[in-house]
Amino acid sequence: MATRFRFRLEGLLKLRRALEEDARRFLARTIQARDAIEASLRHLQQEQWDTIDSRKMDRGQVVDIDHWRAIERYLVVLEHRIRRTQEDLAEAEQRVAEARKTLTKAHQAHLMLLRLKERRQEQHAQEALQEEFREMDELAVLRYRFNTTRPPAAISREVSP
């Protein structure tokens, strides 16, 4: 009877699987952070467009210079915020790219061990099959020897009256 297959690197395989899951979760968090920055950027850009639209005035309407100055100062502040948010977005994109690379490496490491396990399992099954064939051959040889070396009892009884 063949022994049960036991992969000696099972602990390492579990560790690599856990590292891959950690990398997947980290990638999800970095993508979520990048999406939040993108949403913030879209909000700032929409606020900028709304502020620019608020400067429009009808013909003949009196222009409030203090209000106009305040709008212009606010637009400058919005431009700075948008620029800073765009820089943050570029950094977030870089972090997402690094997290993807990390996930790819972790996935490849996990798959490498998984394939090794499959090859070893297949090799073990092949060895077990060969062992079973060897045992069956030995049994066949023993049966043949047992049946051919012993004279049949029925023949010896018929000869003696």
Side-chain angles (χ1 to χ4, degrees):
M1 183 75 188
T3 60
R4 190 175 79 89
F5 174 72
R6 179 164 145 52
F7 187 55
R8 290 184 0 211
L9 300 174
E10 190 68 40
L12 183 60
L13 181 64
K14 287 180 183 178
L15 175 67
R16 295 252 174 107
R17 186 179 307 126
L19 289 174
E20 181 183 3
E21 286 301 316
D22 287 346
R24 186 172 284 126
R25 282 193 289 278
F26 180 71
L27 175 62
R29 283 193 305 269
T30 55
I31 288 174
Q32 192 174 32
R34 182 207 53 201
D35 292 346
I37 292 172
E38 277 182 346
S40 174
L41 179 62
R42 282 193 303 270
H43 175 71
L44 287 173
Q45 288 171 338
Q46 184 61 43
E47 192 170 339
Q48 183 183 30
W49 285 109
D50 292 344
T51 305
I52 289 171
D53 285 343
S54 73
R55 290 190 313 187
K56 295 180 182 175
M57 300 184 139
D58 294 331
R59 286 186 178 204
Q61 189 176 2
V62 178
V63 177
D64 184 5
I65 298 296
D66 291 331
H67 182 64
W68 189 274
R69 236 184 268 146
I71 290 174
E72 289 301 317
R73 280 194 306 266
Y74 183 63
L75 283 173
V76 169
V77 169
L78 277 177
E79 287 175 18
H80 288 293
R81 285 182 186 170
I82 288 173
R83 206 172 310 122
R84 190 176 32 211
T85 305
Q86 287 172 338
E87 292 169 0
D88 292 345
L89 182 61
E91 291 173 9
E93 287 289 347
Q94 185 66 28
R95 285 191 299 269
V96 167
E98 290 171 5
R100 280 196 174 115
K101 285 179 186 176
T102 303
L103 176 60
T104 301
K105 287 181 182 180
H107 182 65
Q108 287 173 345
H110 176 243
L111 281 182
M112 179 183 65
L113 269 182
L114 196 60
R115 288 183 187 125
L116 177 64
K117 179 182 179 179
E118 290 170 355
R119 282 195 310 268
R120 294 266 172 92
Q121 200 167 13
E122 186 177 314
Q123 182 182 12
H124 176 71
Q126 191 67 26
E127 289 172 357
L129 186 63
Q130 292 297 324
E131 181 66 28
E132 188 177 330
F133 285 155
R134 218 177 352 266
E135 288 175 3
M136 289 174 61
D137 288 345
E138 287 176 12
L139 281 175
V141 167
L142 288 175
R143 281 189 189 135
Y144 177 76
R145 286 185 185 164
F146 181 74
N147 289 336
T148 58
T149 58
R150 206 172 95 190
I155 298 174
S156 62
R157 288 186 193 156
E158 291 179 10
V159 174
S160 21

